[in-house]
Amino acid sequence: MNLYFELLKKPIFCVEDVNAFYNNIESARSAIKRMMKEKMVAKIRNNMYTCISGETGAPVANRFQIASHITPTSYVSHHTAMEYYGITDQVFYDVYVSSETAFREFTFDGYTYRYVASKSLEGVEKPAFSGGIAITNIERTIVDCVKDMDKIAGIEEVVQNIESMGRMQEKRILKYLELFQNQFLYQKLGYLLSERKEQMGLSDAFFDNCKEKIGKSKRYLTRDQEGGRYDDEWKLVVPEGLHDMKNGGMLDVDI
């Protein structure tokens, strides 16, 4: 048996996986240390390892696989999921990982893995032949990105992502909106998607549903916004030239 070739079958492995070949935990730990010394294995974090490719010298596990194995409930989310789906062509070095169990942020192979608290596993899928990746589907991803755009992505990135997206399943979006029970989220998402409703295949009934949930509150679309124009339909103050914004200025408006 060649242990290295056996471990190559698993993008991510732990001491217990190696111990399956030894039935002696100390021997398993020694085998890992030996392979690390020989640069055949890299330690990602405590009890989390991947093989090093003999062809490229790079870790076998990619950032999406690593993110999916940090905790039993971890999954790729937010703009990292957008990267996976090819919605954005930008390369980010922050990997956003949602999980029901908290973990300490860490850096491996140039990427920093950042924890986001998960309140639901609805919309989390495991694509076939992905090497164990767990990731939000595209509808859950856009809901999460809009919900957390002041914390994670920023409005410019969210708008650019929406402009690059194709058809959506509106029943899924409504289901995920119901999970959060957040009036402001209905308001923000309804407004942002209304600009691309034909592109996304969203019906008037979808937007009517969103409007029913927004209440009477008037809000700024994004937290750091100081002005803009008022959209009476969605009761939002939005930045001027939102879909062309490149860190541009905003006009004052009373609400």
Side-chain angles (χ1 to χ4, degrees), residues 1 3-4 6-7 10 12-35 47 49:
M1 177 199 71
L3 181 60
Y4 174 76
E6 291 296 325
L7 294 176
K10 298 174 70 73
I12 312 287
F13 62 88
C14 60
V15 173
E16 290 74 18
D17 293 320
V18 179
N19 193 39
F21 300 99
Y22 287 92
N23 200 27
N24 182 306
I25 198 70
E26 291 306 319
S27 296
R29 290 193 178 106
S30 295
I32 292 173
K33 288 179 181 177
R34 183 176 63 255
M35 288 190 292
N47 201 22
Y49 305 88

Side-chain angles (χ1 to χ4, degrees), residues 146-162:
V146 172
K147 177 175 68 72
D148 296 325
M149 70 181 183
D150 283 332
K151 300 177 185 176
I152 296 177
I155 188 171
E156 181 179 344
E157 182 191 324
V158 169
V159 168
Q160 289 174 350
N161 288 341
I162 289 172

Side-chain angles (χ1 to χ4, degrees), residues 60-163:
V60 169
N62 61 45
R63 63 191 184 280
F64 307 111
Q65 292 168 327
I66 292 171
S68 303
H69 287 81
I70 296 171
T71 77
T73 59
S74 67
Y75 56 91
V76 179
S77 65
H78 295 81
H79 78 215
T80 309
M82 291 292 188
E83 287 185 75
Y84 179 84
Y85 291 121
I87 300 299
T88 175
D89 56 5
Q90 298 182 63
V91 176
F92 297 93
Y93 293 96
D94 287 330
V95 178
Y96 284 91
V97 186
S98 291
S99 172
E100 293 182 343
T101 305
F103 63 86
R104 185 173 296 176
E105 294 179 354
F106 65 94
T107 299
F108 174 73
D109 196 35
Y111 293 97
T112 299
Y113 293 79
R114 302 197 181 278
Y115 165 71
V116 181
S118 170
K119 296 183 179 179
S120 173
L121 296 178
E122 284 280 352
V124 177
E125 300 177 351
K126 293 187 175 181
F129 312 113
S130 66
I133 292 172
I135 188 168
T136 49
N137 62 34
I138 197 67
E139 288 84 5
R140 172 68 192 271
T141 300
I142 193 57
V143 171
D144 284 343
C145 284
V146 172
K147 177 175 68 72
D148 296 325
M149 70 181 183
D150 283 332
K151 300 177 185 176
I152 296 177
I155 188 171
E156 181 179 344
E157 182 191 324
V158 169
V159 168
Q160 289 174 350
N161 288 341
I162 289 172
E163 290 177 348

